[in-house]
Structures are given as C-alpha cells and as structure tokens.
Amino acid sequence: MGRGKFKSKPTGRRQFSTPEDMLAGTSNRPRTFRQKEAEHEKEENEETSGEESGEESEEETAKNKGTQGIIEIENPNLVKPKNLKARDLDVGKTTELSRREREELEKQRAHEHYMRLQEQGKTEQSRKDLDRLALIRQQRAEAAKKREEEKAAKEQKKAEARK
C-alpha cells in the first residue's frame, strides 16, 4: 500500500488512550520518572512506619554508600567536614598564611621599604639619578648663560652698527 508523500517515523504511530482507560487507570502511557519516584518514596514510608523500633529506622537513614558499610577502615585521605559553631570560634586567633601569601606580603614590604629609601636618596640607583640630574641642571645653566652672553654680544654689535 502506498504511503504517500510523507513517510511515517520509525518510532511508530501515536497511541491515544480512551477516556475509559484513563478513568480505569489502565492506560498504555508510560509513567514519568517523578511518578515512579513518588511511588518509591511512598513504599519506603510504609515500610518504615510498619517497623517496631526507632533504632532500625535510624540505621536506614545512616545507610552507607557503596562499600563503606563493608569496609570499616579509617581513610587518612578522607577529609571530614568540620562543623564549627559561632560560640566555638576564636575571634582573636589568626590563621596562618600559606607560603605564597607570606612571600607575597614579604615582597610588598620589601618594595615599600625600597621606595622609601629611594625617596630619601639612600639607594645607589637614586644617588646615580640625583648625580645625573645635577649634571643636566649644570649643563642647562651653562647653556642658558652662554645664550645670554651671545644675546648681549649681538645687541652690542647692533648698537655699535647704529652709531
């Protein structure tokens, strides 16, 4: 039989449940994940309420995952969360800095100390800079004096040429 222009999907045709099936609760529609989880939780609640002692329910809530219940060896690499309460905290206690943080602080302090010495002119670099500045100022002063003398000499020549 011809299918026409459009082919049907390989997943099959849709199946609609009838209103009678829906009322009876016997529809062919698969249950969703949430519905399955809700049913599973209801079953667990019914089982725990039927138990006689509270100790057994505590054991279920503290159920170990994987092989933790079988193997009871202390793992030295396991980091246990430390729950500190506000009253247990010591405000005056300072935490120790890591190596990187300490080195960073030392580097900053050394730089600040060096810059203070630089401002005061006590480091070799600052002395060299100050000497260089003094030499440049001296050269500029000499050049300015020389220009003034040349200017005065020109003015004298002009004054003599007018006479």
Side-chain angles (χ1 to χ4, degrees):
M1 186 170 175
R3 289 188 254 176
K5 186 175 179 185
F6 299 104
K7 297 180 181 177
S8 63
K9 302 283 182 188
T11 54
R13 295 196 170 114
R14 291 185 177 185
Q15 296 179 349
F16 296 101
S17 54
T18 61
E20 293 85 25
D21 289 340
M22 289 173 67
L23 289 173
T26 60
S27 65
N28 296 333
R29 189 171 174 206
R31 291 186 174 141
T32 61
F33 180 74
R34 287 186 185 145
Q35 290 173 342
K36 290 178 185 176
E37 284 295 314
E39 288 179 8
H40 184 67
E41 287 178 9
K42 287 180 185 177
E43 291 172 6
E44 285 182 3
N45 289 339
E46 290 172 2
E47 289 175 7
T48 55
S49 63
E51 292 177 1
E52 40 198 53
S53 64
E55 292 178 10
E56 293 177 11
S57 62
E58 288 177 12
E59 289 176 8
E60 283 186 22
T61 57
K63 192 174 186 182
N64 293 328
K65 296 180 181 177
T67 59
Q68 288 179 347
I70 300 169
I71 305 170
E72 296 181 10
I73 299 175
E74 190 67 27
N75 185 355
N77 297 327
L78 181 65
V79 179
K80 296 179 182 176
K82 296 180 180 178
N83 296 331
L84 293 176
K85 295 184 180 177
R87 64 173 185 234
D88 296 337
L89 289 176
D90 187 13
V91 180
K93 182 181 177 185
T94 58
T95 57
E96 292 185 23
L97 300 174
S98 67
R99 178 186 56 85
R100 287 184 183 168
E101 292 171 340
R102 259 185 279 123
E103 289 175 356
E104 186 68 28
L105 283 175
E106 290 173 7
K107 187 177 178 182
Q108 287 177 355
R109 289 182 188 141
H111 182 69
E112 291 172 4
H113 180 69
Y114 181 77
M115 294 307 287
R116 272 191 243 115
L117 290 177
Q118 186 101 358
E119 290 173 5
Q120 296 171 1
K122 294 183 178 180
T123 61
E124 287 184 35
Q125 185 177 0
S126 63
R127 287 185 198 133
K128 289 178 184 177
D129 290 342
L130 291 173
D131 292 343
R132 210 176 303 124
L133 281 173
L135 182 65
I136 291 170
R137 285 182 184 152
Q138 185 181 2
Q139 289 173 349
R140 287 181 182 169
E142 290 173 1
K145 189 185 272 186
K146 189 176 181 182
R147 271 187 257 122
E148 287 178 16
E149 289 174 2
E150 289 176 2
K151 191 175 184 182
K154 274 189 180 178
E155 288 177 9
Q156 276 184 350
K157 285 184 183 180
K158 283 186 182 179
E160 289 177 11
R162 287 184 188 169
K163 288 184 184 181

